[in-house]
Amino acid sequence: MKLTKEEQQMFNGEMGEAAQQSMEILVALGKIYGAEKMVEISSAQISGVSYKTIGQAGLEYLDDLARKGARVKIPTFLNPAGMDVEQWEEMRIPKDFAKKQLEVLDAYGKMGIMKTCTCTPYFIGIRPKKGEHVAWAESSAVAFCNSVLGARTNREGGPSALAGAICGVTPEYGLHKDENRVAKLLVTVKCELKTVADFGALGSYVGKMAKTNYPAFEGIKSNKEEHLKVLGASMAATGSVPLFFIKGVTPEWNIADDAQRIEITEKELKATRAEIDSKLKPNLVTIGCPHASLDEIGQIAEMVSKKKPTCEFWVCTARKTKEDAIKKGYEKPILAAGGRIVADTCMVVCPLEQMGYQITGTNSGKAAAYLPNLCKQRVAFGDAEDILYR
Ligand code: F3S
């Protein structure tokens, strides 16, 4: 790879051990994927934040990097952690887990990383522009960043995003290059999509069909970011989709001449919804996968103030969005109805299986895909109006 003078200095260890170790990771990745050079990035999102996913070995790796003087060069924030740092005790998070989780966040803090733990950074002002290069790691945020914002990121792993943040660059390959941003699956949607759960089910179905191909959709009329985030998240979970296009909605639209074509009708949508849903009554309903927008919290607040849900519920979101929701008066009706606004974490990366829940409700295809294996939950899938009142 052709490195600039500064990149070479980092590689040679002239800028400290942590920068050297990070540049070595980036160069190794670049070689594997055939990158010719690095590209500057304007932000990084680090995954591997929940103690549930990284464990003791991950914590020691981070401590070691922080001790070696690792410092990020660009605005860097975190994926959801394993707990809400302000209400973990009320939420019955085990004490040992909480202690370790706080140590993980501390290690990141020492490296100059914002302790903002969210998968919807774009709802709290972190919105790279079209064509801007970043290194983000959480799969739904990656899909949104590439597809809805038109910015450019590969789906980074925790260590590669952190290495990018420390060096301020990432190897130029994959989705950083024009020629790779091409859809090979054309999906014609012939049914009406009304709710978040409809977009979640569509994403679950298309993700399985697309696998690693990028889909392009015709026939989707909504440009609501709440719909698009769920569509991307669900496709990233059941497939491995970091980029999609929607005709007339997304800033890019590039399809290969030989793209495969499929149609989605009411029949596939209904069948997917039925397949994901256990039809059971949940003991916990979780809204906000990906993390809820302020509007979504407002809608839930209005819904539950009219009629009290029949089970406990969480609305998962970024801490900043929670603070805005409190200012708007959305928290009171949620608390009064037996719910809570949960920040910093989500239903999948917190230790739900250790907190006494067995059946969790969601309107997200991504949460529905991960809750059984990662949290040992049975899934109640449907619209908020359904799962909150079963
Ligand atoms: Fe975000 Fe957790 Fe869903 S990280 S996309 S809320 S599984």
Side-chain angles (χ1 to χ4, degrees):
M1 282 183 79
K2 204 168 176 305
L3 300 182
T4 63
K5 195 172 157 209
E6 194 187 349
E7 290 160 6
Q8 190 65 53
Q9 285 171 337
M10 287 192 243
F11 189 77
N12 295 344
E14 291 164 42
M15 294 167 116
E17 200 181 341
Q20 181 181 32
Q21 197 176 316
S22 301
M23 190 50 88
E24 278 172 2
I25 292 175
L26 298 177
V27 169
L29 262 180
K31 281 187 181 161
I32 292 169
Y33 291 104
E36 288 172 6
K37 61 182 176 74
M38 300 287 172
V39 62
E40 281 188 21
I41 49 176
S42 58
S43 66
Q45 180 199 35
I46 313 295
S47 63
V49 181
S50 171
Y51 184 70
K52 172 170 155 174
T53 51
I54 65 166
Q56 188 60 25
L59 172 57
E60 282 167 19
Y61 172 78
L62 296 174
D63 271 341
D64 181 53
L65 260 183
R67 252 197 317 273
K68 285 176 180 161
R71 294 291 175 272
V72 295
K73 271 189 157 180
I74 52 172
T76 303
F77 56 96
L78 299 171
N79 201 37
M83 65 183 195
D84 183 315
V85 299
E86 290 185 3
Q87 49 179 350
W88 60 268
E89 277 182 297
E90 298 96 296
M91 291 177 70
R92 306 194 297 278
I93 297 279
K95 270 209 172 83
D96 295 356
F97 181 93
K99 185 175 168 287
K100 294 290 183 185
Q101 184 61 70
L102 292 172
E103 284 173 27
V104 170
L105 294 176
D106 249 21
Y108 280 125
K110 281 184 193 142
M111 294 186 236
I113 295 169
M114 294 179 254
K115 292 192 214 169
T116 299
C117 304
T118 185
C119 51
T120 56
Y122 41 87
F123 286 150
I124 55 166
I126 305 172
R127 293 178 75 94
K129 294 197 175 55
K130 187 177 175 209
E132 203 169 309
H133 298 275
V134 299
W136 288 12
E138 194 282 313
S139 65
S140 80
V142 165
F144 193 96
C145 177
N146 279 312
S147 317
V148 182
L149 303 179
R152 299 181 170 208
T153 180
N154 287 317
R155 183 173 170 178
E156 300 290 343
S160 68
L162 185 53
I166 290 168
C167 299
V169 294
T170 196
E172 189 186 44
Y173 70 93
L175 290 171
H176 291 286
K177 303 187 84 167
D178 285 345
E179 62 264 36
N180 298 324
R181 300 175 67 89
V182 180
K184 293 209 170 136
L185 177 69
L186 179 60
V187 184
T188 305
V189 179
K190 295 205 147 172
C191 51
E192 213 185 327
L193 304 166
K194 293 187 200 125
T195 64
V196 168
D198 284 339
F199 280 85
L202 174 69
S204 293
Y205 182 85
V206 175
K208 281 187 195 156
M209 304 289 289
K211 297 189 181 90
T212 52
N213 285 329
Y214 311 146
F217 293 89
E218 288 178 336
I220 293 181
K221 295 182 192 85
S222 173
N223 62 358
K224 269 191 170 181
E225 295 198 344
E226 288 81 358
H227 290 159
L228 305 181
K229 75 174 163 94
V230 167
L231 176 65
S234 306
M235 289 192 291
T238 58
S240 184
V241 173
L243 169 70
F244 61 92
F245 305 126
I246 301 178
K247 202 170 210 171
V249 174
T250 54
E252 290 168 89
W253 175 260
N254 303 315
I255 310 182
D257 294 339
D258 59 351
Q260 186 198 342
R261 290 165 179 262
I262 57 169
E263 278 187 8
I264 309 287
T265 65
E266 195 66 42
K267 188 173 146 229
E268 286 81 23
L269 199 68
K270 264 196 180 157
T272 306
R273 289 183 64 133
E275 191 191 319
I276 311 173
D277 184 15
S278 67
K279 320 272 184 308
L280 295 167
K281 176 173 169 42
N283 14 81
L284 172 72
V285 164
T286 56
I287 303 293
C289 170
H291 275 174
S293 68
L294 189 59
D295 278 359
E296 281 180 297
I297 303 174
Q299 283 158 19
I300 295 291
E302 196 187 334
M303 191 186 300
V304 301
S305 62
K306 287 183 189 143
K307 188 176 167 196
K308 193 172 172 190
T310 51
C311 66
E312 199 184 325
F313 66 99
W314 299 351
V315 187
C316 300
T317 193
R319 179 146 309 272
K320 160 94 175 54
T321 312
K322 175 172 178 174
E323 285 163 6
D324 292 344
I326 292 170
K327 279 185 208 144
K328 289 246 177 202
Y330 298 156
E331 190 182 37
K332 270 195 187 148
I334 288 176
L335 287 173
R340 62 172 83 235
I341 304 178
V342 171
D344 317 316
T345 186
C346 79
M347 64 301 280
V348 169
V349 297
C350 76
L352 205 57
E353 65 285 4
Q354 296 177 44
M355 296 160 69
Y357 303 109
Q358 289 93 29
I359 306 163
T360 296
T362 178
N363 56 359
S364 161
K366 176 171 177 178
Y370 287 155
L371 281 167
N373 286 338
L374 295 180
C375 304
K376 300 189 177 65
Q377 299 293 299
R378 300 197 65 188
V379 170
F381 179 83
D383 297 322
E385 295 84 339
D386 162 16
I387 50 180
L388 281 167
Y389 301 101
R390 263 188 201 179

